[in-house]
Amino acid sequence: MKAHIYTLILVSILILGGCKKEDFRYENDFDRSFARWVSFKEKTGNTYSYVVSNSSWVGTSWKTEITVTQGRVTQRSFKITFPQGLNNLPVESKEWVEKETELNSHSGGAEPVTFDQVYEKAKTDWLVKRKNVTTYFEAKNNGLLSSCGYVVDNCQDDCFVGISVTSIKP
């Protein structure tokens, strides 16, 4: 009788353990996109650039291009544009380029990270299941991640937490 109980308990544990719920949202889409990323990275020798774009409800927009050479971030360039009447920043704050030894010497712009790090942050932060948020994931860059993040419910302005990648190229 004890053997049957132990067997029943073991089978129950295996069945319940095997029914793993998604740890994060869009898991299947993410996995397909990540597989495309691994292929892209191999084909390019882990050398590529990607552009992160963002904008504000007041019409200000900016883009950051990150260049990665053999798996290391080697350059970050930034440009911001304003609607008429809101353009009061000095020229050197509107557009700049950082080389590898100067990374993070300017404020603003997307973080200088590799696309491997983008996918890691997507999996461990932006796509994690949360209450009271709407989560987004798109892979419109030939199957590679293009938009990933979340918006807290009832947030009014500039609420997206994540990344919008407008292009990635070898």
Side-chain angles (χ1 to χ4, degrees), residues 147-165:
S147 180
C148 181
Y150 61 91
V151 174
V152 175
D153 294 347
N154 300 316
C155 183
Q156 298 302 311
D157 298 317
D158 301 332
C159 301
F160 184 71
V161 176
I163 193 168
S164 296
V165 179

Side-chain angles (χ1 to χ4, degrees), residues 110-124:
E111 289 182 79
V113 297
T114 66
F115 224 59
D116 281 319
Q117 292 170 297
V118 170
Y119 272 101
E120 182 63 24
K121 186 148 186 175
K123 185 175 184 176
T124 61

